[in-house]
């Protein structure tokens, strides 16, 4: 005989237990991120993730039934967005607001893009580096490439709408995709040792020069400051 109705038992929630589970999940995710960046996705095992996080192997399996692929997916989602909210970057208020403000579009793109790559750039590199050997990573890398391309196209179209572009929108989208890429960020930040501030300032100047500066009579583009609206 049940003393507590089934409906009551199912609706019971423990805030302390939920918070503990959230912290455990975050610890697993952070430990996995460090391992993925250090040694790649393929070489990293769930057993290593558990040991690095300081939890039992069964705890990892309970938190992430989908295994290593699920851990990587969530780690990348959180790193890309900057929090655990299930909202795509393109739908976030800061990104949407930047598209509507022609005076802040490039500065905000450079700032937000730098912050995103500081959080997620090396995970994106790990994903790409493992895409040839793992089907999950190949699918995720392809999805990321399509998403990035679509987002940069959205930015290019917003710049065209505000009258900022001096090049065709297709070319602008390709330039944005190239200069804002994880590969360029990794080259300048980690291989050449630039600071995040230096990288963000360079990115803003370079995009303004290539996309917003009219060429002179010899076809050269000479940067003379941020783009001005007509």
């Amino acid at each position: 005989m049940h003393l507590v109705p089934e409906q009551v038992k199912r609706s019971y929630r423990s805030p302390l237990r939920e918070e503990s589970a959230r912290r455990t999940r975050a610890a697993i995710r952070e430990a996995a991120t460090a391992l993925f960046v250090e040694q790649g996705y393929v070489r990293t095992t769930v057993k290593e993730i558990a040991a690095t996080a300081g939890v039992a192997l069964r705890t990892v399996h309970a938190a992430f039934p989908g295994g290593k692929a699920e851990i990587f997916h969530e780690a990348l989602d959180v790193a890309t967005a900057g929090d655990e909210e299930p909202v795509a970057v393109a739908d976030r208020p800061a990104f949407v607001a930047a598209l509507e403000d022609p005076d802040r579009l490039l500065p905000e793109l450079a700032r937000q893009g730098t912050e995103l790559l500081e959080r997620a750039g090396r995970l994106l590199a790990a994903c790409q580096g493992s895409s040839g050997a793992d089907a999950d990573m190949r699918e995720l890398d392809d999805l990321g490439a399509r998403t990035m391309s679509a987002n940069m196209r959205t930015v290019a179209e917003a710049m065209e709408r505000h009258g900022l572009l001096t090049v065709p929108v297709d070319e602008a989208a390709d330039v944005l995709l190239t200069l804002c890429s994880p590969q360029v960020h990794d080259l300048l930040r980690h291989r050449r040792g630039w600071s995040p501030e230096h990288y963000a300032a360079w990115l803003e100047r370079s995009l303004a020069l290539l996309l917003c500066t009219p060429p002179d009579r010899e076809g050269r583009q000479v940067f003379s400051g941020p783009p001005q609206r007509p």
Side-chain angles (χ1 to χ4, degrees):
M1 178 177 181
H2 296 291
L3 299 179
V4 181
E6 287 294 325
Q7 184 177 3
V8 174
K9 288 197 292 184
R10 284 197 299 269
S11 63
Y12 172 75
R13 295 175 59 190
S14 168
L16 290 178
R17 182 176 299 172
E18 290 177 357
E19 176 60 21
S20 176
R22 190 197 67 77
R23 288 198 303 267
T24 298
R25 194 176 183 91
I28 294 168
R29 192 174 61 232
E30 290 166 8
T33 296
L35 290 169
F36 292 144
V37 168
E38 179 184 350
Q39 60 189 32
Y41 176 84
V42 174
R43 288 181 55 196
T44 298
T45 66
V46 176
K47 185 176 181 180
E48 288 177 307
I49 294 171
T52 303
V55 300
L57 184 59
R58 64 178 179 274
T59 301
V60 178
H61 288 305
F64 294 92
K68 188 170 66 169
E70 183 183 355
I71 300 172
F72 191 97
H73 277 248
E74 182 169 309
L76 184 58
D77 283 347
V78 172
T80 299
D83 56 46
E84 298 178 0
E85 295 299 317
V87 181
V89 170
D91 296 327
R92 288 179 172 253
F95 185 83
V96 174
L99 297 179
E100 299 305 317
D101 186 347
D103 294 323
R104 295 296 302 160
L105 200 161
L106 282 185
E108 278 298 298
L109 176 66
R111 182 188 67 80
Q112 293 180 35
T114 299
E115 290 178 354
L116 186 155
L117 290 173
E118 288 295 307
R119 297 188 304 263
R122 290 196 156 180
L123 271 178
L124 289 167
C127 179
Q128 185 180 50
S130 301
S131 62
D134 185 272
D136 286 319
M137 291 299 99
R138 184 159 53 252
E139 181 179 353
L140 187 58
D141 185 51
D142 288 343
L143 174 61
R146 292 195 302 271
T147 301
M148 178 72 168
S149 180
N151 288 348
M152 293 303 98
R153 177 77 190 194
T154 297
V155 172
E157 290 173 349
M159 294 180 71
E160 182 184 46
R161 187 167 64 250
H162 293 307
L164 298 176
L165 290 182
T166 58
V167 300
V169 68
D170 288 345
E171 180 179 336
D174 288 344
V175 169
L176 286 159
L177 186 64
T178 301
L179 292 194
C180 298
S181 68
Q183 292 82 3
V184 171
H185 175 266
D186 180 71
L187 173 65
L188 297 178
R189 277 284 292 116
H190 302 298
R191 298 178 186 273
R192 303 307 304 165
W194 287 19
S195 69
E197 295 76 19
H198 187 181
Y199 168 80
W202 167 84
L203 181 59
E204 180 185 348
R205 290 196 308 270
S206 298
L207 291 173
L209 171 63
L210 293 172
L211 303 181
C212 307
T213 305
D216 62 17
R217 292 181 179 179
E218 285 74 37
R220 298 171 300 184
Q221 290 177 300
V222 181
F223 183 67
S224 59
Q228 300 295 319
R229 281 183 291 166

